[in-house]
Amino acid sequence: MKIVMKGNEKVVEGLKESLKTNQGPEHSTVFCCKEIGIRQLIWSEKLSSLQVPRAGTFDFVIGADCLFFRDYHKALVHTLDVLLSSNGQALLWAPKRGGTLEEFCALAQEKFEVQQEQVYDDEVWSKHLKALNSNQDQGGKGLALQYDESIHYPLKIVLKKKRKSITPPSWAMGHRGGSGCPCCKGRKMPMF
């Protein structure tokens, strides 16, 4: 099952209409799975795994152009942490836009390994370079001048959950049994 989630109600309705249009016998190869759910999801720092179907089981969460509101960065990081499986990845595309991308990445490092990729697709990169060159060729005039890398070119951000290390209790470190050991109840254990 795949679940498509979006916060904006109008976008959710549009996705539902698109899904209806692309389902049916003539579109049987469009989707890799038979069951696709679409629902609204509001990012929240208080989001619980009980509020999200299949929380903690998603291998991928994909998002674009969702980092420009600084006030929602913590909520997005927490929401991604709730959604993703232990080996899951979030793939996000966003422009630098006034430092918001860097701020989000710095915050996300608390829970995720963060990678930024500038060149992630040859065709997209080629068009990006063409737009940059066109800006220079126009000498400051024309439509090409409207291309601003910091707001128009999205970088790819890959977030991978950090592995959680489990520290055994102090009594289990160098375990040999004895009076302080709750599992051995005072018996001496052989050393290995």
Side-chain angles (χ1 to χ4, degrees):
M1 175 177 186
K2 303 289 182 198
I3 299 176
V4 179
M5 296 184 215
K6 193 72 180 161
N8 184 309
E9 287 182 37
K10 289 182 181 179
V11 174
V12 170
E13 291 307 313
L15 288 170
K16 287 179 180 178
E17 285 301 314
S18 179
L19 181 60
K20 280 185 207 172
T21 301
N22 289 294
Q23 284 184 325
E26 69 276 9
H27 298 290
S28 61
T29 60
V30 173
F31 299 109
C32 62
C33 58
K34 295 180 189 231
E35 196 176 334
I36 297 176
I38 296 174
R39 63 170 285 199
Q40 183 179 30
L41 175 68
I42 305 296
W43 307 336
S44 170
E45 293 176 62
K46 297 177 183 176
L47 185 68
S48 153
S49 60
L50 300 175
Q51 296 170 295
V52 180
R54 301 177 61 137
T57 65
F58 290 90
D59 294 325
F60 292 97
V61 172
I62 300 171
D65 209 22
C66 54
L67 306 180
F68 51 92
F69 291 124
R70 289 175 173 92
D71 293 345
Y72 294 105
H73 285 179
K74 285 183 182 178
L76 178 56
V77 168
H78 179 74
T79 300
L80 292 171
D81 191 44
V82 168
L83 293 175
L84 290 169
S85 67
S86 60
N87 294 319
Q89 295 183 34
L91 306 175
L92 307 174
W93 282 264
K96 292 181 180 180
R97 193 177 274 127
T100 57
L101 180 135
E102 292 301 328
E103 291 170 27
F104 174 81
C105 289
L107 183 66
Q109 286 179 341
E110 294 174 14
K111 295 185 178 189
F112 298 97
E113 295 172 19
V114 179
Q115 298 172 338
Q116 290 185 28
E117 297 177 27
Q118 185 173 20
V119 182
Y120 48 83
D121 180 89
D122 291 338
E123 186 176 345
V124 172
W125 182 248
S126 174
K127 290 183 179 189
H128 166 66
L129 293 177
K130 185 176 179 181
L132 285 176
N133 289 334
S134 182
N135 273 356
Q136 292 171 351
D137 293 344
Q138 295 291 325
K141 299 177 184 173
L143 291 177
L145 213 181
Q146 294 176 0
Y147 182 77
D148 180 347
E149 179 177 12
S150 69
I151 60 173
H152 294 125
Y153 185 72
L155 299 179
K156 178 181 175 184
I157 310 302
V158 180
L159 304 178
K160 295 178 184 176
K161 275 195 165 184
K162 286 186 176 179
R163 301 270 185 225
K164 293 182 175 138
S165 61
I166 300 172
T167 306
S170 60
W171 58 263
M173 300 301 288
H175 181 68
R176 292 190 186 109
S179 62
C181 178
C183 65
C184 299
K185 299 180 180 150
R187 295 182 304 237
K188 285 284 184 190
M189 303 300 284
M191 284 184 39
F192 296 101

